[in-house]
């Protein structure tokens, strides 16, 4: 059986989360501004930055991403 791909908004959120947790700048968003996918990426970025600032370790973040 083939595995279904995740929808693009979910993928964008996860990529944004990873970018935010790793300390990348918000301006590195790879999507066009004012699109729903860019908004999902930015939401993930914000959550990743917040987790980074709160002192989560990388293993806890990997677990969180797996649960998304």
């Amino acid at each position: 059986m083939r595995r279904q791909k995740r929808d693009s908004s979910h993928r964008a959120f996860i990529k944004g989360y990873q970018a935010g947790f790793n300390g990348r700048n918000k301006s590195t968003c790879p999507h066009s501004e004012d699109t729903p996918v860019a908004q999902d990426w930015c939401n993930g970025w914000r959550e990743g930055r917040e987790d980074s600032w709160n002192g989560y370790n990388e293993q806890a973040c990997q677990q969180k991403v797996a649960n998304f």
Side-chain angles (χ1 to χ4, degrees):
M1 284 180 86
R2 289 186 176 195
R3 292 178 56 185
Q4 287 183 323
K5 283 189 173 182
R6 294 183 194 134
D7 63 290
S8 61
S9 63
H10 186 256
R11 261 194 329 255
F13 181 88
I14 290 173
K15 294 293 185 181
Y17 180 88
Q18 292 169 339
F21 184 78
N22 291 326
R24 290 203 209 126
N25 195 338
K26 189 176 178 180
S27 65
T28 61
C29 178
H31 305 284
S32 300
E33 291 183 30
D34 301 330
T35 62
V37 178
Q39 187 64 38
D40 292 329
W41 190 94
C42 289
N43 289 339
W45 181 87
R46 279 188 214 97
E47 192 165 330
R49 290 303 297 156
E50 188 175 314
D51 287 352
S52 177
W53 291 331
N54 288 333
Y56 285 96
N57 63 18
E58 192 167 335
Q59 185 179 17
C61 290
Q62 288 175 353
Q63 180 71 29
K64 189 173 184 177
V65 167
N67 290 332
F68 286 140

